[in-house]
Amino acid sequence: MQSAAGSANEAHPLFGGALSAAIPHSATDISELREIPDNQEVFAHAHTDQSLIVELVEYQGQVADQDAARYHFEDIAGSNKALEPGAFEVTSVVALPKSELSLSECSTAWMLTGTQSVSKFNEEARNSVTIHLGLFRLPQFSTDVLITFNDPQSISPESSSACAVGTHQQPWMVKDFQRLVQTLTLHNPGLFG
């Protein structure tokens, strides 16, 4: 398995080089291991159960900018089968100043932090996962770009992820996720069709 990221300051090509961003240390490109949808780039930490997903999704024009991050977070909760009461919570949503972002083409950008109670691979065991979500709104391309950092906080002993517990050799930090969000750069708008 190859590490997807060289140095932390190096831009890593995404979607065939149409986008790039600084991917954190110890990242494994999951597309080298299994099939990944064309609208996603997925990276897993080599030694923890953390993951990062860069995803291109349809722009949701009916959702106000300030509500869009929560909309996508709840969509992820649905995919994670974590929609029942108490299974997910949004703890903060903040607007990101465009002056701090490389993706100047976005109309607005947002960062959301929340938690979800998630079972992996349809297991019964549920893990508590902090989800950091970066959202770039690109209405001119009918696209929302999501960057999701899944950071497990407590892993059930019955979960298949339990083997990752205790092997936390330099886990990714929120600042690694923030750097990825800030360095996301568009090189080829043809990516959006």
Side-chain angles (χ1 to χ4, degrees):
M1 258 185 284
Q2 298 244 335
S3 177
S7 88
N9 297 321
E10 204 174 289
H12 180 80
L14 301 167
F15 300 101
L19 291 168
S20 68
I23 303 298
H25 66 85
S26 304
T28 299
D29 184 340
I30 296 303
S31 69
E32 295 174 6
L33 305 175
R34 62 180 156 88
E35 196 72 26
I36 298 295
D38 288 345
N39 69 321
Q40 293 182 349
E41 293 273 359
V42 180
F43 301 92
H45 191 290
H47 305 290
T48 72
D49 210 38
Q50 296 173 313
S51 64
L52 286 162
I53 302 168
V54 180
E55 185 173 17
L56 309 177
V57 296
E58 185 177 346
Y59 177 76
Q60 300 298 319
Q62 79 283 6
V63 180
D65 284 352
Q66 66 270 19
D67 299 326
R70 183 180 297 269
Y71 172 90
H72 288 294
F73 179 80
E74 290 178 5
D75 189 51
I76 292 167
S79 297
N80 287 338
K81 297 180 177 60
L83 281 175
E84 62 271 9
F88 74 99
E89 176 186 18
V90 173
T91 51
S92 73
V93 181
V94 294
L96 298 176
K98 284 178 64 172
S99 61
E100 295 177 11
L101 303 172
S102 298
L103 190 66
S104 57
E105 296 83 358
C106 67
S107 61
T108 60
W110 302 84
M111 191 174 299
L112 175 147
T113 301
T115 56
Q116 293 184 10
S117 179
V118 178
S119 61
K120 197 167 182 178
F121 306 121
N122 296 317
E123 298 171 339
E124 290 296 315
R126 292 179 97 51
N127 304 319
S128 176
V129 178
T130 296
I131 295 178
H132 301 278
L133 185 134
L135 168 65
F136 297 92
R137 306 218 74 196
L138 298 161
Q140 71 275 33
F141 301 120
S142 300
T143 301
D144 281 341
V145 178
L146 299 178
I147 300 175
T148 309
F149 171 31
N150 298 295
D151 187 14
Q153 299 304 303
S154 68
I155 296 178
S156 167
E158 287 85 43
S159 171
S160 61
S161 296
C163 63
V165 175
T167 61
H168 286 224
Q169 302 168 0
Q170 286 193 308
W172 293 331
M173 308 301 283
V174 172
K175 67 180 170 95
D176 296 316
F177 165 72
Q178 290 169 334
R179 176 157 175 66
L180 193 165
V181 167
Q182 290 170 337
T183 60
L184 185 70
T185 305
L186 178 63
H187 303 285
N188 180 4
L191 170 68
F192 304 115

